[in-house]
Amino acid sequence: MIRHTEELVLVTGATGLVGRPLVDLLLAQGVRVRAVSRRPEEAGLPDKVDVVAPGAGMFEGVGRVFLNPRAVGLEAAEFLAEARRAGAARVVAMSALNVDHPLEQQPSRQRGDFNKESEQAAVASGLDWCALRSGYYAVNTVSQWGAQIRAGDVVRSPFPEAAWAPLHERDLAEVAARALLGDELLGRRPVLTGPRALTQQEMIEAIGTAAGRPLRYQAVPAEAAEQGLVRQGFSEGAARGFIAMQGLSYLQPGLVSPEVEEILGRPGLGFEQWAAEHAADFDRAIPAHAVRDPRGPKR
Ligand SMILES: NC(=O)c1ccc[n+]([C@@H]2O[C@H](COP(=O)([O-])OP(=O)(O)OC[C@H]3O[C@@H](n4cnc5c(N)ncnc54)[C@H](OP(=O)(O)O)[C@@H]3O)[C@@H](O)[C@H]2O)c1
């Protein structure tokens, strides 16, 4: 039997929000990692990592695969079939809490995240599989509110009482590493959230505490918030879907799942800690063009 640390793990989306901490965790456990990036020369991953562009050769010698739906689009089934032909035995797929909701209530589909199809492809792949059904990432607050907070102390957003439990990306990466290396999560779809639901107002207060200045929440109509996101680069469909999703959590507070704590054997990391670690992303002294992109180096 091959020890897991001797198997090569292929990480798609390796330069992403979860991919980077996952690569670090795997390396720390002595695992050999091949990372996929469309721009390997700009990936900025540790030297030990074999960074490759997407292509047929990437599967050679791979035993386990981390599947990021954003990185594979609608090709997850072919991707996994090819991985299996090359000898892979396991896939851990990122998925989402809302994967069984009506497709029009899944705004991430507008940007090409086919979480449902990816999860189905993993289950049907013939590989050992695990699908990580995660909720809202804490780091989304940077793309959602970062520009406003860097520019001033007022955050305009609808639904101040809408609440959900932001998931620290490091917790998600740690669960992914467990699913890749251990056997206890095989055949499961764990639901992953942060440890506590916070209203938007509470999240903004926590960011203000971390940033060292009080922030003020100003409720605005949903249409104004949508337009603000479009000005920041969201597509109209994604902005509408994202705000509509927040509207739904206004009526029904976000789920708090116990599974991160059950899997990791410790409570999930709280949003206050996340905000303290990311205070620099909201620093008004930093000009917008110089802000470190939490998704990695600038493209
Ligand atoms: N954000 C959330 O709250 C949340 C919650 C639940 C589920 N999810 C799901 O998690 C998945 C990952 O989302 P994320 O925000 O974490 O992604 P991400 O980390 O920003 O993106 C992952 C990586 O995929 C690659 N990539 C991006 N766009 C691509 C494209 N069009 N074609 C090929 N590769 C592309 C990029 O790597 P290179 O540029 O190096 O190629 C990027 O670093 C998505 O399916 C999302 O729906 C997200």
Side-chain angles (χ1 to χ4, degrees), residues 15-17 37-38 68-71 95 113 115 134-135 137 140 295:
T15 61
L17 302 171
S37 169
R38 291 165 298 172
N68 183 319
R70 182 161 304 161
S95 184
D113 299 348
N115 293 316
S134 48
Y137 302 167
N140 290 349
R295 287 167 197 262

Side-chain angles (χ1 to χ4, degrees), residues 53 73 76 96 116 239 248 271:
K116 189 170 187 67
L248 290 176
F271 184 72

Side-chain angles (χ1 to χ4, degrees), residues 130-134 175 185 188-192 257 259 263:
C130 171
L132 306 176
R133 290 189 164 189
S134 48
V175 172
L185 294 176
R188 287 179 50 188
R189 299 174 171 92
V191 169
L192 308 171
S257 165
E259 293 201 74
I263 293 166

Side-chain angles (χ1 to χ4, degrees), residues 229-296:
L229 290 178
V230 169
R231 279 196 297 277
Q232 285 175 46
F234 281 61
S235 73
E236 279 187 18
R240 196 175 315 116
F242 191 55
I243 298 297
M245 198 165 69
Q246 293 183 7
L248 290 176
S249 10
Y250 185 57
L251 302 170
Q252 188 181 12
L255 175 79
V256 180
S257 165
E259 293 201 74
V260 167
E261 180 162 359
E262 286 167 8
I263 293 166
L264 299 182
R266 59 156 177 82
L269 302 171
F271 184 72
E272 293 78 4
Q273 174 170 345
W274 178 91
E277 292 172 7
H278 286 258
D281 292 330
F282 300 97
D283 190 342
R284 69 189 314 176
I286 303 175
H289 67 269
V291 170
R292 181 176 63 82
D293 185 343
R295 287 167 197 262

